Amino acid sequence: MAKLRTEFNFILPKGEGIKVESGRKVSGTMRLIKVKDLVDIERDGQVQRGTGAYYVVLLTRCIKQLGLINAVNRNVIEKLDPVDFAFLVDFMNEINHQVIKRLPLKCPDCGYEYEGIISQLGEA
């Protein structure tokens, strides 16, 4: 049986405002969402589901390191460029739904093109 990966590396598209070694792109490490994270946020009551604040709080729990910053908090996440924030939300959703591969698909009847995803259900 294959061992489930628990840490995932990423590189931010822009990386502006994050401390990083000179000449290097801003990279980081994210872990899978745990059910405990979702339960804690739900109990908080101040964070509504589906809002930007919800994803900010969730990312602060899941990102272990971002550039030279290893204490990633709400302040760090809120300073991200919108492109980087959107990238991290998409990346978080992908790893938690275990996206294995993306496939370009085309309907043989109508010619409509779309993207198919091969995945397995994630931890949360």
mmCIF file with all atom_site columns, all heavy atoms in Angstrom, residues 65-80:
data_model
loop_
_atom_site.group_PDB
_atom_site.id
_atom_site.type_symbol
_atom_site.label_atom_id
_atom_site.label_alt_id
_atom_site.label_comp_id
_atom_site.label_asym_id
_atom_site.label_entity_id
_atom_site.label_seq_id
_atom_site.pdbx_PDB_ins_code
_atom_site.Cartn_x
_atom_site.Cartn_y
_atom_site.Cartn_z
_atom_site.occupancy
_atom_site.B_iso_or_equiv
_atom_site.pdbx_formal_charge
_atom_site.auth_seq_id
_atom_site.auth_comp_id
_atom_site.auth_asym_id
_atom_site.auth_atom_id
_atom_site.pdbx_PDB_model_num
ATOM 1   N N   . GLN A 1 65 ? 5.649   26.648 5.840  1.00 0.00 ? 65 GLN A N   1
ATOM 2   C CA  . GLN A 1 65 ? 6.741   27.582 5.573  1.00 0.00 ? 65 GLN A CA  1
ATOM 3   C C   . GLN A 1 65 ? 6.455   28.327 4.279  1.00 0.00 ? 65 GLN A C   1
ATOM 4   O O   . GLN A 1 65 ? 5.909   27.774 3.341  1.00 0.00 ? 65 GLN A O   1
ATOM 5   C CB  . GLN A 1 65 ? 8.071   26.846 5.451  1.00 0.00 ? 65 GLN A CB  1
ATOM 6   C CG  . GLN A 1 65 ? 9.223   27.792 5.249  1.00 0.00 ? 65 GLN A CG  1
ATOM 7   C CD  . GLN A 1 65 ? 10.523  27.267 5.816  1.00 0.00 ? 65 GLN A CD  1
ATOM 8   O OE1 . GLN A 1 65 ? 10.582  26.162 6.326  1.00 0.00 ? 65 GLN A OE1 1
ATOM 9   N NE2 . GLN A 1 65 ? 11.561  28.055 5.731  1.00 0.00 ? 65 GLN A NE2 1
ATOM 10  N N   . LEU A 1 66 ? 6.841   29.607 4.258  1.00 0.00 ? 66 LEU A N   1
ATOM 11  C CA  . LEU A 1 66 ? 6.627   30.444 3.084  1.00 0.00 ? 66 LEU A CA  1
ATOM 12  C C   . LEU A 1 66 ? 7.839   31.355 2.935  1.00 0.00 ? 66 LEU A C   1
ATOM 13  O O   . LEU A 1 66 ? 8.017   32.287 3.716  1.00 0.00 ? 66 LEU A O   1
ATOM 14  C CB  . LEU A 1 66 ? 5.346   31.269 3.248  1.00 0.00 ? 66 LEU A CB  1
ATOM 15  C CG  . LEU A 1 66 ? 4.837   32.055 2.053  1.00 0.00 ? 66 LEU A CG  1
ATOM 16  C CD1 . LEU A 1 66 ? 4.590   31.149 0.859  1.00 0.00 ? 66 LEU A CD1 1
ATOM 17  C CD2 . LEU A 1 66 ? 3.540   32.770 2.409  1.00 0.00 ? 66 LEU A CD2 1
ATOM 18  N N   . GLY A 1 67 ? 8.705   31.047 1.966  1.00 0.00 ? 67 GLY A N   1
ATOM 19  C CA  . GLY A 1 67 ? 9.966   31.784 1.838  1.00 0.00 ? 67 GLY A CA  1
ATOM 20  C C   . GLY A 1 67 ? 10.819  31.535 3.067  1.00 0.00 ? 67 GLY A C   1
ATOM 21  O O   . GLY A 1 67 ? 11.016  30.384 3.456  1.00 0.00 ? 67 GLY A O   1
ATOM 22  N N   . LEU A 1 68 ? 11.294  32.599 3.702  1.00 0.00 ? 68 LEU A N   1
ATOM 23  C CA  . LEU A 1 68 ? 12.091  32.449 4.924  1.00 0.00 ? 68 LEU A CA  1
ATOM 24  C C   . LEU A 1 68 ? 11.220  32.516 6.176  1.00 0.00 ? 68 LEU A C   1
ATOM 25  O O   . LEU A 1 68 ? 11.727  32.454 7.285  1.00 0.00 ? 68 LEU A O   1
ATOM 26  C CB  . LEU A 1 68 ? 13.168  33.542 4.986  1.00 0.00 ? 68 LEU A CB  1
ATOM 27  C CG  . LEU A 1 68 ? 14.210  33.500 3.866  1.00 0.00 ? 68 LEU A CG  1
ATOM 28  C CD1 . LEU A 1 68 ? 15.190  34.657 3.999  1.00 0.00 ? 68 LEU A CD1 1
ATOM 29  C CD2 . LEU A 1 68 ? 14.955  32.179 3.856  1.00 0.00 ? 68 LEU A CD2 1
ATOM 30  N N   . ILE A 1 69 ? 9.908   32.646 5.979  1.00 0.00 ? 69 ILE A N   1
ATOM 31  C CA  . ILE A 1 69 ? 8.981   32.757 7.107  1.00 0.00 ? 69 ILE A CA  1
ATOM 32  C C   . ILE A 1 69 ? 8.468   31.369 7.483  1.00 0.00 ? 69 ILE A C   1
ATOM 33  O O   . ILE A 1 69 ? 7.900   30.667 6.661  1.00 0.00 ? 69 ILE A O   1
ATOM 34  C CB  . ILE A 1 69 ? 7.784   33.663 6.739  1.00 0.00 ? 69 ILE A CB  1
ATOM 35  C CG1 . ILE A 1 69 ? 8.274   35.053 6.314  1.00 0.00 ? 69 ILE A CG1 1
ATOM 36  C CG2 . ILE A 1 69 ? 6.793   33.765 7.883  1.00 0.00 ? 69 ILE A CG2 1
ATOM 37  C CD1 . ILE A 1 69 ? 7.224   35.899 5.644  1.00 0.00 ? 69 ILE A CD1 1
ATOM 38  N N   . ASN A 1 70 ? 8.684   30.971 8.717  1.00 0.00 ? 70 ASN A N   1
ATOM 39  C CA  . ASN A 1 70 ? 8.160   29.664 9.143  1.00 0.00 ? 70 ASN A CA  1
ATOM 40  C C   . ASN A 1 70 ? 7.039   29.793 10.166 1.00 0.00 ? 70 ASN A C   1
ATOM 41  O O   . ASN A 1 70 ? 6.469   28.809 10.588 1.00 0.00 ? 70 ASN A O   1
ATOM 42  C CB  . ASN A 1 70 ? 9.275   28.740 9.659  1.00 0.00 ? 70 ASN A CB  1
ATOM 43  C CG  . ASN A 1 70 ? 10.071  29.358 10.776 1.00 0.00 ? 70 ASN A CG  1
ATOM 44  O OD1 . ASN A 1 70 ? 9.662   30.351 11.361 1.00 0.00 ? 70 ASN A OD1 1
ATOM 45  N ND2 . ASN A 1 70 ? 11.218  28.771 11.074 1.00 0.00 ? 70 ASN A ND2 1
ATOM 46  N N   . ALA A 1 71 ? 6.703   31.030 10.562 1.00 0.00 ? 71 ALA A N   1
ATOM 47  C CA  . ALA A 1 71 ? 5.536   31.266 11.409 1.00 0.00 ? 71 ALA A CA  1
ATOM 48  C C   . ALA A 1 71 ? 4.513   31.987 10.536 1.00 0.00 ? 71 ALA A C   1
ATOM 49  O O   . ALA A 1 71 ? 4.431   33.214 10.544 1.00 0.00 ? 71 ALA A O   1
ATOM 50  C CB  . ALA A 1 71 ? 5.900   32.100 12.628 1.00 0.00 ? 71 ALA A CB  1
ATOM 51  N N   . VAL A 1 72 ? 3.775   31.213 9.755  1.00 0.00 ? 72 VAL A N   1
ATOM 52  C CA  . VAL A 1 72 ? 2.811   31.784 8.812  1.00 0.00 ? 72 VAL A CA  1
ATOM 53  C C   . VAL A 1 72 ? 1.506   32.037 9.555  1.00 0.00 ? 72 VAL A C   1
ATOM 54  O O   . VAL A 1 72 ? 0.865   31.111 10.047 1.00 0.00 ? 72 VAL A O   1
ATOM 55  C CB  . VAL A 1 72 ? 2.589   30.843 7.613  1.00 0.00 ? 72 VAL A CB  1
ATOM 56  C CG1 . VAL A 1 72 ? 1.579   31.426 6.644  1.00 0.00 ? 72 VAL A CG1 1
ATOM 57  C CG2 . VAL A 1 72 ? 3.902   30.578 6.895  1.00 0.00 ? 72 VAL A CG2 1
ATOM 58  N N   . ASN A 1 73 ? 1.136   33.330 9.650  1.00 0.00 ? 73 ASN A N   1
ATOM 59  C CA  . ASN A 1 73 ? -0.095  33.687 10.344 1.00 0.00 ? 73 ASN A CA  1
ATOM 60  C C   . ASN A 1 73 ? -1.001  34.502 9.424  1.00 0.00 ? 73 ASN A C   1
ATOM 61  O O   . ASN A 1 73 ? -0.694  34.708 8.253  1.00 0.00 ? 73 ASN A O   1
ATOM 62  C CB  . ASN A 1 73 ? 0.221   34.438 11.644 1.00 0.00 ? 73 ASN A CB  1
ATOM 63  C CG  . ASN A 1 73 ? 1.077   35.661 11.388 1.00 0.00 ? 73 ASN A CG  1
ATOM 64  O OD1 . ASN A 1 73 ? 1.025   36.281 10.337 1.00 0.00 ? 73 ASN A OD1 1
ATOM 65  N ND2 . ASN A 1 73 ? 1.879   36.014 12.384 1.00 0.00 ? 73 ASN A ND2 1
ATOM 66  N N   . ARG A 1 74 ? -2.088  34.974 9.983  1.00 0.00 ? 74 ARG A N   1
ATOM 67  C CA  . ARG A 1 74 ? -3.079  35.735 9.212  1.00 0.00 ? 74 ARG A CA  1
ATOM 68  C C   . ARG A 1 74 ? -2.468  36.985 8.578  1.00 0.00 ? 74 ARG A C   1
ATOM 69  O O   . ARG A 1 74 ? -2.776  37.331 7.445  1.00 0.00 ? 74 ARG A O   1
ATOM 70  C CB  . ARG A 1 74 ? -4.233  36.104 10.149 1.00 0.00 ? 74 ARG A CB  1
ATOM 71  C CG  . ARG A 1 74 ? -5.438  36.623 9.447  1.00 0.00 ? 74 ARG A CG  1
ATOM 72  C CD  . ARG A 1 74 ? -6.579  36.796 10.442 1.00 0.00 ? 74 ARG A CD  1
ATOM 73  N NE  . ARG A 1 74 ? -7.774  37.118 9.716  1.00 0.00 ? 74 ARG A NE  1
ATOM 74  C CZ  . ARG A 1 74 ? -8.970  36.661 10.010 1.00 0.00 ? 74 ARG A CZ  1
ATOM 75  N NH1 . ARG A 1 74 ? -9.127  35.843 11.016 1.00 0.00 ? 74 ARG A NH1 1
ATOM 76  N NH2 . ARG A 1 74 ? -10.010 37.007 9.304  1.00 0.00 ? 74 ARG A NH2 1
ATOM 77  N N   . ASN A 1 75 ? -1.581  37.641 9.316  1.00 0.00 ? 75 ASN A N   1
ATOM 78  C CA  . ASN A 1 75 ? -0.921  38.844 8.830  1.00 0.00 ? 75 ASN A CA  1
ATOM 79  C C   . ASN A 1 75 ? -0.117  38.552 7.551  1.00 0.00 ? 75 ASN A C   1
ATOM 80  O O   . ASN A 1 75 ? -0.141  39.324 6.601  1.00 0.00 ? 75 ASN A O   1
ATOM 81  C CB  . ASN A 1 75 ? -0.018  39.412 9.923  1.00 0.00 ? 75 ASN A CB  1
ATOM 82  C CG  . ASN A 1 75 ? 0.477   40.800 9.608  1.00 0.00 ? 75 ASN A CG  1
ATOM 83  O OD1 . ASN A 1 75 ? -0.187  41.559 8.913  1.00 0.00 ? 75 ASN A OD1 1
ATOM 84  N ND2 . ASN A 1 75 ? 1.638   41.134 10.126 1.00 0.00 ? 75 ASN A ND2 1
ATOM 85  N N   . VAL A 1 76 ? 0.617   37.445 7.538  1.00 0.00 ? 76 VAL A N   1
ATOM 86  C CA  . VAL A 1 76 ? 1.418   37.053 6.373  1.00 0.00 ? 76 VAL A CA  1
ATOM 87  C C   . VAL A 1 76 ? 0.510   36.761 5.182  1.00 0.00 ? 76 VAL A C   1
ATOM 88  O O   . VAL A 1 76 ? 0.741   37.238 4.068  1.00 0.00 ? 76 VAL A O   1
ATOM 89  C CB  . VAL A 1 76 ? 2.290   35.813 6.695  1.00 0.00 ? 76 VAL A CB  1
ATOM 90  C CG1 . VAL A 1 76 ? 2.972   35.281 5.452  1.00 0.00 ? 76 VAL A CG1 1
ATOM 91  C CG2 . VAL A 1 76 ? 3.314   36.144 7.765  1.00 0.00 ? 76 VAL A CG2 1
ATOM 92  N N   . ILE A 1 77 ? -0.548  35.977 5.404  1.00 0.00 ? 77 ILE A N   1
ATOM 93  C CA  . ILE A 1 77 ? -1.457  35.591 4.315  1.00 0.00 ? 77 ILE A CA  1
ATOM 94  C C   . ILE A 1 77 ? -2.155  36.818 3.731  1.00 0.00 ? 77 ILE A C   1
ATOM 95  O O   . ILE A 1 77 ? -2.311  36.931 2.515  1.00 0.00 ? 77 ILE A O   1
ATOM 96  C CB  . ILE A 1 77 ? -2.515  34.570 4.809  1.00 0.00 ? 77 ILE A CB  1
ATOM 97  C CG1 . ILE A 1 77 ? -1.838  33.293 5.313  1.00 0.00 ? 77 ILE A CG1 1
ATOM 98  C CG2 . ILE A 1 77 ? -3.517  34.236 3.713  1.00 0.00 ? 77 ILE A CG2 1
ATOM 99  C CD1 . ILE A 1 77 ? -1.115  32.474 4.301  1.00 0.00 ? 77 ILE A CD1 1
ATOM 100 N N   . GLU A 1 78 ? -2.554  37.753 4.580  1.00 0.00 ? 78 GLU A N   1
ATOM 101 C CA  . GLU A 1 78 ? -3.279  38.932 4.095  1.00 0.00 ? 78 GLU A CA  1
ATOM 102 C C   . GLU A 1 78 ? -2.389  39.876 3.288  1.00 0.00 ? 78 GLU A C   1
ATOM 103 O O   . GLU A 1 78 ? -2.893  40.686 2.518  1.00 0.00 ? 78 GLU A O   1
ATOM 104 C CB  . GLU A 1 78 ? -3.928  39.675 5.268  1.00 0.00 ? 78 GLU A CB  1
ATOM 105 C CG  . GLU A 1 78 ? -5.133  38.923 5.809  1.00 0.00 ? 78 GLU A CG  1
ATOM 106 C CD  . GLU A 1 78 ? -5.738  39.543 7.060  1.00 0.00 ? 78 GLU A CD  1
ATOM 107 O OE1 . GLU A 1 78 ? -5.054  40.356 7.721  1.00 0.00 ? 78 GLU A OE1 1
ATOM 108 O OE2 . GLU A 1 78 ? -6.885  39.200 7.377  1.00 0.00 ? 78 GLU A OE2 1
ATOM 109 N N   . LYS A 1 79 ? -1.068  39.771 3.427  1.00 0.00 ? 79 LYS A N   1
ATOM 110 C CA  . LYS A 1 79 ? -0.147  40.616 2.660  1.00 0.00 ? 79 LYS A CA  1
ATOM 111 C C   . LYS A 1 79 ? 0.181   40.029 1.289  1.00 0.00 ? 79 LYS A C   1
ATOM 112 O O   . LYS A 1 79 ? 0.856   40.668 0.495  1.00 0.00 ? 79 LYS A O   1
ATOM 113 C CB  . LYS A 1 79 ? 1.150   40.820 3.441  1.00 0.00 ? 79 LYS A CB  1
ATOM 114 C CG  . LYS A 1 79 ? 1.005   41.773 4.610  1.00 0.00 ? 79 LYS A CG  1
ATOM 115 C CD  . LYS A 1 79 ? 2.326   41.959 5.314  1.00 0.00 ? 79 LYS A CD  1
ATOM 116 C CE  . LYS A 1 79 ? 2.180   42.871 6.514  1.00 0.00 ? 79 LYS A CE  1
ATOM 117 N NZ  . LYS A 1 79 ? 3.422   42.966 7.283  1.00 0.00 ? 79 LYS A NZ  1
ATOM 118 N N   . LEU A 1 80 ? -0.287  38.821 1.007  1.00 0.00 ? 80 LEU A N   1
ATOM 119 C CA  . LEU A 1 80 ? 0.021   38.180 -0.274 1.00 0.00 ? 80 LEU A CA  1
ATOM 120 C C   . LEU A 1 80 ? -0.598  38.927 -1.443 1.00 0.00 ? 80 LEU A C   1
ATOM 121 O O   . LEU A 1 80 ? -1.682  39.503 -1.331 1.00 0.00 ? 80 LEU A O   1
ATOM 122 C CB  . LEU A 1 80 ? -0.516  36.738 -0.300 1.00 0.00 ? 80 LEU A CB  1
ATOM 123 C CG  . LEU A 1 80 ? 0.226   35.702 0.533  1.00 0.00 ? 80 LEU A CG  1
ATOM 124 C CD1 . LEU A 1 80 ? -0.550  34.397 0.521  1.00 0.00 ? 80 LEU A CD1 1
ATOM 125 C CD2 . LEU A 1 80 ? 1.634   35.495 0.021  1.00 0.00 ? 80 LEU A CD2 1
#
